[in-house]
Amino acid sequence: MSENLRSQVVTQGVQRSPNRAMLRAVGFQDEDFTKPIVGVANGYSTITPCNMGINQLALRAEVSIKNAGGMPQLFGTITVSDGISMGTEGMKYSLVSREVIADSIETACTGQSMDGVLAIGGCDKNMPGAMIAIARMNIPAIFVYGGTIKPGHHNGRDLTVVSSFEAVGQYSAGKIDEKELLEVEGKACPGAGSCGGMYTANTMSSAFEAMGMSLPYSSTMAAEDAEKADSTEKSAFFLVEAIRKQILPSQIITRKSIENALSVVMAVGGSTNAVLHFLAIAHTAGVELNLDDFEIIRARVPVLCDLKPSGRYVATDLHKAGGIPLVMKMLLVHDLLHGDALTITGQTIAEVLADVPSEPSPDQDVIRPWDNPMYSQGHLAILRGNLATEGSVAKISGIKVPKITGTARVFESEESCLDAILAHKINAGDVLVIRYEGPKGGPGMREMLAPTSAIIGAGLADSVGLITDGRFSGGTYGMVVGHVAPEAAVGGAIALVEEGDTITIDAHARLLQLNVSDEELAARRANWQPRPPRYTKGVLGKYAKLVSSSSLGALTDLDLF
């Protein structure tokens, strides 16, 4: 059987002589026209430290693909740095970039009739963007994570970029001086790699390893370590083998593998963004998944790892302690993982984990033993109530006060809320409402790391709540609820909240409630008018027109016809 099932449409036959002429110009020889053409989707960029080391990985993959008998074709895809755009209008493009990345990979691979693709990414949206494209195309594929950043160090503690965000709040509250603020700023990000805690990038890379779409141990490697490049080389080899064996994403991205991924997300204390992204990936792959499924998994999976943002350690510490395979093995032996799920290597999960220990070493405390977890149940909770009839997402680990009923302080944008926090206008017992930041209303569903970090820095994390139809960074923790749906822009109840109302957030009851009568809500709704769109052209205009509710994954191709 020909190894270039798809690409032979551009390499075989007399009529394809001009096509071959073009390919000869990029290095093809006579013997290469029957080899599989393998795309390398290269997310290299100096926009962000997350992606600045990726080009060397792409070049290593290129050599490995050639050695394995394939013909690599490199192409670029974009990224937006969440950390750099955070708190600005530019952050509206972050979630949008997930769709742009997916579209660009699909366009290049399908437009060039490639036989498979190795996607390399670093910053948060690179992973789900690539996986959505992979699920759409259903050609042999593997994801290679660019690697995590190593922690910075200051006064005996590990730093991440979130340390710098929190230092802003500490400075504004008078807890540190400008010299200390600059010390943290200068040491928080010491080199290449994605943000170091179990934030969104490391959450999604870990989930993809658990799903079988990346190689074992690859999701927690440091970007600057030699093993990262070695793993990339192996990934390229396994991809060419998958092309020969026609191991397709539709065989790997299944209900079982997504449940495996979400179980690992719960066990490592991962980002709320995993909810949004896996709803999108599952829909694209044709797998049934909804918000209630996250609650089912949360109820049965403990949090096993003590990782930032609410814990003590970073991804490189998790790697040294045994990485994602050790976490997976612990779940597997307690019947919380589907061992028969297929991986890109051709092995099942059980076969991949056969030689992995089933208990963590007592010489470390990053991964807790099964009988002494961080929390007995998962941390990502789905809250509902009259404020979120479609659902909302909260990270309930690491909070000391699981229930708050407080006075609503209403803000029409992230910036106005942050200004109020830094001006000391927020008091204990307040529940901040940031609205018109949803997928359509923002548009783009910005992350609220700046205000949530400022709340923490000001010492209000346990006494102030925050709800939004926007998102949170994986670095966020505290009594905060995001993804509130329906969003304000489409008339969701969050648009009807008035200054001085009381709001209840109850993590244990999984409740998000506006404490006004149904009659009063109906009267407010009758007087509500939709706002004109903030953008009417360009990528944000198109996104706002097409994007679905966050409760469905914020996809742009959900209801096209």
Side-chain angles (χ1 to χ4, degrees):
M1 184 175 71
S2 174
E3 291 183 356
N4 60 339
L5 290 176
R6 283 165 55 90
S7 64
Q8 60 184 296
V9 301
V10 296
T11 62
Q12 303 300 310
V14 172
Q15 72 275 27
R16 298 304 177 206
S17 180
N19 310 60
R20 291 192 296 274
M22 296 282 286
L23 289 169
R24 289 182 190 277
V26 296
F28 279 64
Q29 303 295 322
D30 288 346
E31 64 273 14
D32 297 327
F33 292 114
T34 57
K35 296 176 182 178
I37 295 178
V38 184
V40 178
N42 183 2
Y44 167 70
S45 170
T46 57
I47 285 174
T48 172
C50 307
N51 291 50
M52 72 182 191
I54 285 176
N55 199 50
Q56 294 305 312
L57 302 182
L59 296 175
R60 185 77 170 264
E62 180 183 34
V63 172
S64 183
I65 289 166
K66 283 184 178 178
N67 290 340
M71 289 301 292
Q73 289 195 317
L74 274 69
F75 62 92
T77 186
I78 65 139
T79 196
V80 170
S81 172
D82 288 9
I84 296 172
S85 65
M86 194 73 68
T88 74
E89 195 77 357
M91 186 64 193
K92 293 181 177 180
Y93 288 85
S94 170
L95 186 58
V96 176
S97 76
R98 186 189 76 179
E99 309 307 302
V100 176
I101 291 164
D103 291 349
S104 67
I105 293 174
E106 177 195 355
T107 299
C109 291
T110 306
Q112 296 297 119
S113 302
M114 295 178 187
D115 297 289
V117 63
L118 182 148
I120 311 178
C123 200
D124 294 7
K125 307 311 172 294
N126 297 182
M127 278 74 76
M131 201 57 62
I132 288 169
I134 287 166
R136 281 183 196 167
M137 298 184 296
N138 199 32
I139 61 174
I142 195 167
F143 184 81
V144 173
Y145 181 40
T148 184
I149 196 171
K150 293 180 179 180
H153 302 285
H154 179 59
N155 287 343
R157 64 188 178 105
D158 286 347
L159 300 180
T160 70
V161 67
V162 175
S163 308
S164 192
F165 279 98
E166 292 177 1
V168 172
Q170 292 166 339
Y171 174 74
S172 69
K175 296 184 175 184
I176 61 172
D177 59 18
E178 186 175 4
K179 180 176 182 295
E180 178 68 8
L181 176 68
L182 292 175
E183 286 281 353
V184 173
E185 175 188 322
K187 296 174 181 177
C189 300
S194 298
C195 301
M198 192 47 69
Y199 311 146
T200 303
N202 285 321
T203 296
M204 296 307 295
S205 69
S206 299
F208 288 178
E209 180 180 325
M211 194 164 62
M213 289 300 299
S214 296
L215 293 190
Y217 298 100
S218 64
S219 66
T220 51
M221 292 174 177
E224 296 179 326
D225 286 352
E227 65 176 349
K228 183 75 256 182
D230 294 341
S231 178
T232 303
E233 181 179 318
K234 288 165 108 177
S235 298
F237 170 81
F238 277 111
L239 174 59
V240 176
E241 287 298 300
I243 293 170
R244 293 191 173 110
K245 297 172 183 175
Q246 281 301 287
I247 300 175
L248 302 176
S250 58
Q251 298 169 268
I252 301 172
I253 307 173
T254 64
R255 173 70 186 211
K256 287 183 176 181
S257 73
I258 288 176
E259 287 187 358
N260 286 349
L262 297 180
S263 294
V264 166
V265 169
M266 295 293 180
V268 299
S271 167
T272 53
N273 282 311
V275 177
L276 190 74
H277 297 325
F278 269 100
L279 287 169
I281 292 164
H283 174 80
T284 305
V287 174
E288 195 74 30
L289 188 73
N290 59 50
L291 285 175
D292 292 334
D293 294 314
F294 290 83
E295 268 300 315
I296 293 169
I297 293 171
R298 184 192 72 80
R300 67 192 186 205
V301 178
V303 178
L304 296 171
C305 300
D306 186 3
L307 296 168
K308 290 179 181 293
S310 60
R312 294 178 292 166
Y313 296 105
V314 295
T316 50
D317 297 317
L318 174 60
H319 189 64
K320 293 171 189 172
I324 296 303
L326 179 52
V327 176
M328 291 175 69
K329 185 62 171 281
M330 293 173 70
L331 295 172
L332 180 66
V333 299
H334 290 90
D335 297 321
L336 292 173
L337 220 60
H338 299 288
D340 58 345
L342 184 66
T343 74
I344 188 62
T345 67
Q347 295 177 296
T348 66
I349 289 290
E351 289 169 338
V352 168
L353 300 176
D355 297 327
V356 176
S358 58
E359 282 293 328
S361 167
D363 298 331
Q364 56 79 50
D365 55 359
V366 183
I367 306 173
R368 302 280 283 268
W370 190 263
D371 58 2
N372 185 30
M374 292 290 294
Y375 307 98
S376 61
Q377 292 184 319
H379 63 301
L380 297 182
I382 307 303
L383 276 57
R384 298 183 189 272
N386 65 359
L387 262 177
T389 55
E390 291 181 13
S392 60
V393 183
K395 185 186 287 186
I396 62 174
S397 61
I399 57 173
K400 295 178 182 176
V401 183
K403 180 180 179 179
I404 182 173
T405 295
T407 303
R409 303 290 305 279
V410 181
F411 301 94
E412 310 298 328
S413 71
E414 176 190 1
E415 288 89 347
S416 59
C417 180
L418 180 61
D419 289 345
I421 297 167
L422 297 181
H424 314 297
K425 295 180 180 178
I426 302 303
N427 302 309
D430 288 343
V431 176
L432 314 186
V433 179
I434 306 177
R435 62 191 180 191
Y436 293 97
E437 290 285 8
K440 285 184 178 293
M445 209 178 175
R446 287 194 289 182
E447 292 180 348
M448 305 294 149
L449 182 59
T452 57
S453 296
I455 289 169
I456 291 166
L460 296 170
D462 298 321
S463 58
V464 166
L466 187 152
I467 72 169
T468 180
D469 51 9
R471 296 181 295 128
F472 294 117
S473 162
T476 292
Y477 63 100
M479 181 56 82
V480 296
V481 185
H483 307 203
V484 172
E487 62 173 291
V490 300
I494 191 172
L496 310 178
V497 181
E498 295 181 358
E499 188 89 6
D501 287 343
T502 65
I503 292 172
T504 296
I505 305 171
D506 190 333
H508 290 164
R510 301 188 296 283
L511 177 69
L512 183 62
Q513 189 78 8
L514 175 61
N515 299 312
V516 303
S517 68
D518 292 344
E519 293 77 14
E520 173 64 17
L521 267 183
R524 292 182 187 181
R525 181 166 280 109
N527 292 323
W528 178 82
Q529 293 292 325
R531 297 185 171 197
R534 286 171 167 159
Y535 294 84
T536 55
K537 59 183 179 180
V539 66
L540 290 182
K542 288 187 286 186
Y543 185 85
K545 182 82 171 175
L546 294 171
V547 69
S548 72
S549 169
S550 60
S551 64
L552 299 173
L555 282 161
T556 54
D557 61 353
L558 190 66
D559 296 310
L560 291 181
F561 301 103

